[in-house]
Amino acid sequence: MTKSELIEKVVQTHGMLNMKVSEMLVNTVFDSIEEALREGDKVEIRGFGSFTIRERTGREARNPKSGEIVSIPAKKTPFFKTGKELKERVNC
């Protein structure tokens, strides 16, 4: 499901919301999650899962084409852990 499909689903499910309001709602949720992760906070949605940031250390790697050693800098990566209820719903 894409973001636009999600917005359409919100419109279909809740007849009182039009496309523009639904888009604003979905964007607000995603923007809030992004902002919290950027600030280093954990985002937990009960029954769904949690979003955290994992810090990956810098390392040395080898370019497979040339064999040259390349330095890969440290970086932060978003990580999603599935909640127990979502796992149970998917595996029923």
Side-chain angles (χ1 to χ4, degrees):
M1 176 180 279
T2 64
K3 186 176 175 182
S4 59
E5 291 171 339
L6 177 61
I7 292 168
E8 288 177 26
K9 182 74 170 180
V10 171
V11 171
Q12 291 171 1
T13 306
H14 302 285
M16 298 181 70
L17 299 176
N18 62 25
M19 189 72 122
K20 189 170 185 173
V21 173
S22 297
E23 182 177 4
M24 189 171 52
L25 176 73
V26 170
N27 286 336
T28 300
V29 170
F30 289 154
D31 291 345
S32 297
I33 292 171
E34 180 184 327
E35 183 179 336
L37 291 175
R38 202 176 312 122
E39 293 174 0
D41 296 335
K42 178 181 178 180
V43 178
E44 184 176 333
I45 303 170
R46 300 270 179 199
F48 184 72
S50 60
F51 297 90
T52 57
I53 292 290
R54 289 196 172 170
E55 296 195 27
R56 300 189 62 179
T57 58
R59 64 186 192 278
E60 301 270 317
R62 194 173 296 273
N63 180 336
K65 186 174 182 179
S66 66
E68 179 183 345
I69 294 180
V70 179
S71 177
I72 300 174
K75 61 182 175 181
K76 296 179 182 180
T77 306
F79 177 76
F80 177 74
K81 182 177 180 187
T82 310
K84 182 180 175 183
E85 287 180 38
L86 180 59
K87 283 181 190 176
E88 289 172 357
R89 288 182 197 167
V90 170
N91 291 314
C92 60

